[in-house]
Amino acid sequence: MAAPASAPADSRSRPAVRDVVFVDGVRTPFGKAGSKGQYAQTRADDMVVKVIRELLRRHPELPAERIDEVAIAATTQIGDQGLTIGRTAALLAGLPKSVPGFAIDRMCAGAMTAVTTVSSGIAFGAYDVVIAGGVEHMGNHPMGEGVDPNPRFVSDKLVDPSALVMGSTAENLHDRYPSLTKERTDAYAALSQQRYDEAHRTGKIAPDLVPVSTRSDEGWGLATTDEPPRPGTTVEDLAGLKTPFRPHGRVTPGNAAGLNDGATGALLADAETAAELGLPVGMRMVGYAFAGVEPEVMGVGPVPSTEKALQRAGLSIDDIGLFEINEAFAVQVLAFLEHFGIADDDPRVNPWGGAIACGHPLASSGVRLMTQLSRHFEQHPEVRYGITTMCIGIGMGGTVIWENPNYNAGGGQ
């Protein structure tokens, strides 16, 4: 038999898989989308620039030339959040021209996918230090702007027409799981507002935020706090709100995230490089998974993605001591909690509230979840593992499992 054209590569030349660590994360305050929102006349790329510069300001021990990649997500990649925004934002932020960048899209999980993508590169040895994040200016670019869905999706009955309207998919979840009542979603939404308000008043939110200069017809301003929260919201306040996605429906502006503007960013590195440079370690990546579900009930996506991630990591849901779940809709969070037998008001879940309170600028939200989880880890050395998870439009879910570097084996979970 003829010899093979080329000999197999020597296995000793293959890089060992390296540990990936989350160094730090920051975000802009989140704003309300629209002409009256605080970012109405502020560019999306300028928000990303602010985040990148803040990460470098907070970590002077990191030489800018050591950054190997900038991955920035946006759901609507046109206008001021188009033009390969990872590269253009890196240039605008003053990073060396030798630092490359790219744009990425997985709808709401854009920043999450930016993190998992570059983390895979770190683990393989392609990168040592990266910046990953996301931005969405829903005031400038409403979700779906400029898209042209193939008519076969509906004509060939590949999906129900409701699959293309996220609020309608949330109503479908209510239909599929009758135990997820409007009363439960309103109660969860009120709790999210209460928890966020408590975290804000006790100074837990502010350290994650970078102030942003804003423009308006009145002149210049400074965004320093999240705009969407409604402190003092009660279940009674929520009960009478209109249901825009279905007459006499159950999804309202009060038990769903709003339309928002904002940007996030994170530093990630391999563990040895972090130690070499003296970078802090907020948490270590254990594993991740994405999964597809029926687009008509996209909100259930975090269930199979979490099951897949846990199975691949050799863990169970009982090993998880903290959960950061994106609150696109309250019913979607409750579907996850009910599946895994977790109480609606479990204190391990979104301890500082979530997107129903602070906002959900689509592609940016994944890094907000990660940044908050790393802060929780600092305060909870008894917890070893936590997850960040979210539903994704067109029928997907994403989950990342993280390990607490502060874990005290004698402290419990």
Side-chain angles (χ1 to χ4, degrees):
M1 185 174 67
S6 59
D10 187 337
S11 62
R12 291 172 297 179
S13 68
R14 298 172 185 164
V17 175
R18 306 190 299 175
D19 281 341
V20 179
V21 297
F22 182 98
V23 173
D24 197 6
V26 298
R27 67 178 177 90
T28 69
F30 289 167
K32 292 181 179 179
S35 60
K36 296 182 179 179
Q38 60 186 358
Y39 297 125
Q41 296 182 31
T42 301
R43 291 179 60 96
D45 48 10
D46 283 338
M47 290 193 283
V48 179
V49 165
K50 192 69 175 177
V51 164
I52 293 173
R53 288 178 174 171
E54 179 66 9
L55 286 169
L56 291 174
R57 187 194 71 79
R58 294 189 183 196
H59 297 284
E61 68 274 24
L62 173 63
E65 63 271 16
R66 290 296 299 271
I67 298 170
D68 293 312
E69 188 73 272
V70 178
I72 301 296
T75 302
T76 307
Q77 296 192 9
I78 59 176
D80 56 342
Q81 54 193 45
L83 199 62
T84 313
I85 192 168
R87 171 61 171 170
T88 54
L91 292 171
L92 290 166
L95 294 183
K97 293 181 173 61
S98 58
V99 178
F102 65 95
I104 199 163
D105 172 29
R106 202 198 290 261
M107 298 192 78
C108 298
M112 176 178 281
T113 305
V115 167
T116 57
T117 299
V118 295
S119 293
S120 298
I122 293 171
F124 188 72
Y127 309 131
D128 291 333
V129 183
V130 297
I131 291 175
V135 64
E136 210 73 54
H137 199 308
M138 300 182 76
N140 285 357
H141 308 293
M143 187 175 182
E145 180 186 18
V147 303
D148 180 20
N150 194 301
R152 290 200 305 109
F153 278 116
V154 175
S155 65
D156 292 4
K157 297 184 179 179
L158 300 176
V159 300
D160 184 86
S162 64
L164 304 179
V165 180
M166 298 303 102
S168 296
T169 68
E171 290 283 9
N172 292 342
L173 260 185
H174 277 289
D175 293 341
R176 182 162 297 191
Y177 303 103
S179 63
L180 305 179
T181 63
K182 183 178 185 300
E183 289 73 23
R184 284 178 67 184
T185 59
D186 284 350
Y188 180 86
L191 179 63
S192 180
Q193 294 282 356
Q194 293 161 15
R195 286 180 172 175
Y196 175 89
D197 186 47
E198 171 68 16
H200 172 69
R201 288 188 293 102
T202 54
K204 294 182 174 69
I205 303 296
D208 295 348
L209 306 182
V210 51
V212 178
S213 298
T214 60
R215 288 186 56 189
S216 70
D217 291 339
E218 287 72 42
W220 289 95
L222 189 66
T224 59
T225 59
D226 292 319
E227 201 174 16
R230 297 180 293 274
T233 296
T234 66
V235 173
E236 291 73 24
D237 295 331
L238 299 175
L241 295 179
K242 295 180 179 179
T243 58
F245 302 105
R246 182 186 297 180
H248 310 293
R250 290 144 295 192
V251 179
T252 74
N255 58 33
L259 305 179
N260 305 112
D261 307 328
T264 61
L267 278 174
L268 298 108
D270 87 279
E272 289 187 2
T273 300
E276 171 203 338
L277 296 174
L279 293 167
V281 174
M283 49 191 184
R284 181 184 72 86
M285 182 178 286
V286 175
Y288 66 88
F290 294 91
V293 296
E294 295 168 83
E296 295 84 356
V297 287
M298 65 95 190
V300 79
V303 170
S305 66
T306 297
E307 290 179 329
K308 182 189 284 187
L310 289 170
Q311 189 274 329
R312 290 182 171 179
L315 298 172
S316 76
I317 199 69
D318 295 331
D319 294 310
I320 306 303
L322 286 164
F323 300 79
E324 277 292 327
I325 306 174
N326 192 47
E327 297 171 354
F329 302 94
V331 66
Q332 154 254 315
V333 178
L334 295 180
F336 178 94
L337 299 182
E338 185 159 295
H339 176 85
F340 287 108
I342 300 170
D344 294 3
D345 60 353
D346 192 307
R348 300 173 299 164
V349 178
N350 295 2
W352 297 349
I356 288 173
C358 70
H360 173 31
L362 300 184
S364 71
S365 288
V367 163
R368 179 190 68 80
L369 302 176
M370 296 171 189
T371 301
Q372 290 196 182
L373 181 61
S374 71
R375 306 291 189 250
H376 300 328
F377 276 160
E378 292 176 12
Q379 300 178 9
H380 293 280
E382 78 282 5
V383 172
R384 183 171 185 179
Y385 298 109
I387 66 170
T388 52
T389 187
M390 60 201 314
C391 63
I392 310 167
I394 318 298
M396 293 178 284
T399 300
V400 187
I401 304 174
W402 302 91
E403 185 175 20
N404 186 356
N406 311 295
Y407 174 61
N408 177 357
Q413 224 167 353

